[in-house]
Amino acid sequence: MIGLGRSLLLTLGAEISTLKNFPVHVAAGIEVPSTPTALWCWLRAEDRGDLVHQTHQLCDLLADAFECESVLDAFKHAGGRDLTGYEDGTENPEGEEAINVAFVRGEGAGMDGSSFVAVQTWLHDFSLFNAMTQEQQDNSIGRRKSDNEELDDVPLSAHVKRTAQEDFTPEAFLLRRSMPWSDASGEGLQFVAFDRSFDSFEAQLKRMVGEDDGISDALFRFTRPITGCYFWCPPMKAGQLDLSALGL
Amino acid sequence: MAAYQTGILQEVPSVARYLTFSLIAGTNPLEPCEDWPSRAMANH
């Protein structure tokens, strides 16, 4: 998959009004950074070696105008769980609902079928996480790790309380496609969320940092975002990216 | 519904790689290869 950043669009003399700058948030002990970049590619495979060869092909193809800025390898863990053992995206929409959540429609050719993606690299601190009791961990997430069941009586800081999609007005549904990552620098979760706009993501992020009620998400006790980017994922036409919305 | 990048709806794969690219100052991304976005898609 490919996402175009705002700096690239501006270089091309184009703009997509929904594609804005990723918001910076600062709260007590919390920093949510914005790290804009021109182009985002998500390579997928069943064989890690294929990713290596695809990366070389891609970098060679783009070399005249683009410089590879970052490479992050991710993997599926425990059937789709984060490295903490909890599942990200339990309430993900499916089927037609997922299509309604993730893709633009009703805005005309060139925009319809496109999507907007928020991408954040979260860096976990397992010395902090592993020092928590099982109950503290479950209360931080709001789910029981053993069976992923949502707990009834958890603190308002629990992640599921902060981000309950149906609790927002309007409802703030996202299509999440996050994956664990690990390299020499550490490990964590690559958060990836697709949406028709960034409204749902921004509503959830504001509540996570406590802008609504001063209560921040318990996730920040053991993990923090070290990147934050927005991209526009163009629609397809005849098997190719449709860039007509950019005048191309 | 218009055609979309189908990977968005697919479950996460076994392994994946995220790459970000910055623009090289002074270059026009359209000049080297006008259809690079679609070729990039075709290459993975």
Side-chain angles (χ1 to χ4, degrees):
Chain A
M1 267 164 297
I2 285 185
L4 311 185
R6 188 158 179 258
S7 62
L8 175 56
L9 266 55
L10 293 172
T11 300
L12 296 172
E15 191 145 21
I16 302 287
S17 59
T18 303
L19 184 63
K20 46 191 168 183
N21 296 330
F22 190 96
V24 171
H25 290 279
V26 177
I30 294 172
E31 293 169 349
V32 177
S34 174
T35 55
T37 191
L39 183 67
W40 175 73
C41 298
W42 180 11
L43 307 180
R44 307 158 61 102
E46 297 302 316
D47 180 328
R48 193 172 176 187
D50 291 342
L51 295 176
V52 173
H53 296 302
Q54 289 174 17
T55 300
H56 284 300
Q57 291 172 353
L58 194 58
C59 290
D60 288 347
L61 180 65
L62 298 172
D64 287 340
F66 295 91
E67 188 171 37
C68 186
E69 204 171 47
S70 70
V71 176
L72 190 75
D73 283 330
F75 48 88
K76 198 168 187 173
H77 169 62
R81 295 193 175 208
D82 175 54
L83 289 169
T84 56
Y86 293 93
E87 193 174 315
D88 180 73
T90 299
E91 304 288 343
N92 250 348
E94 295 178 355
E96 193 65 28
E97 193 183 346
I99 292 173
N100 289 336
V101 165
F103 299 107
V104 174
R105 57 173 60 189
E107 293 191 18
M111 281 304 296
D112 288 352
S114 69
S115 187
F116 295 90
V117 63
V119 181
Q120 287 178 297
T121 302
W122 287 73
L123 176 66
H124 294 351
D125 186 333
F126 276 99
S127 63
L128 294 174
F129 182 75
N130 291 334
M132 298 165 76
T133 65
Q134 187 61 61
E135 184 179 10
Q136 288 172 328
Q137 292 179 4
D138 287 352
N139 281 337
S140 294
I141 303 299
R143 290 187 180 277
R144 194 164 46 222
K145 187 191 289 190
S146 58
D147 58 7
N148 201 40
E149 278 299 307
E150 189 166 335
L151 300 171
D152 291 329
D153 188 21
V154 291
L156 289 173
S157 60
H159 183 58
V160 298
K161 293 284 188 190
R162 297 284 92 195
T163 58
Q165 300 175 111
E166 63 281 358
D167 283 356
F168 292 85
T169 307
E171 293 179 331
F173 284 97
L174 296 168
L175 181 64
R176 286 179 284 176
R177 291 287 184 252
S178 304
M179 295 183 77
W181 65 272
S182 173
D183 64 21
S185 69
E187 58 273 321
L189 184 76
Q190 183 75 344
F191 174 85
V192 175
F194 295 93
D195 192 3
R196 314 184 277 251
S197 72
F198 294 111
D199 293 346
S200 295
F201 173 76
E202 292 192 357
Q204 291 196 24
L205 187 59
K206 281 180 183 174
R207 194 170 288 178
M208 286 177 69
V209 301
E211 273 196 17
D212 291 352
D213 55 9
I215 300 171
S216 58
D217 196 308
L219 280 186
F220 288 105
R221 294 174 190 167
F222 62 85
T223 187
R224 62 189 174 92
I226 55 175
T227 70
C229 316
Y230 281 162
F231 301 98
W232 177 62
C233 301
M236 302 293 290
K237 188 176 183 181
Q240 296 191 326
L241 290 178
D242 179 359
L243 300 177
S244 58
L246 308 181
L248 300 176
Chain B
M1 183 65 197
Y4 45 80
Q5 296 189 45
T6 54
I8 294 171
L9 289 186
Q10 293 169 359
E11 291 296 318
V12 296
S14 299
V15 291
R17 176 169 279 191
Y18 302 93
L19 300 111
T20 62
F21 294 86
S22 56
L23 282 161
I24 298 172
T27 63
N28 180 340
L30 291 182
E31 281 177 0
C33 172
E34 289 197 359
D35 66 343
W36 62 261
S38 289
R39 287 179 56 194
M41 281 291 286
N43 271 306
H44 69 82

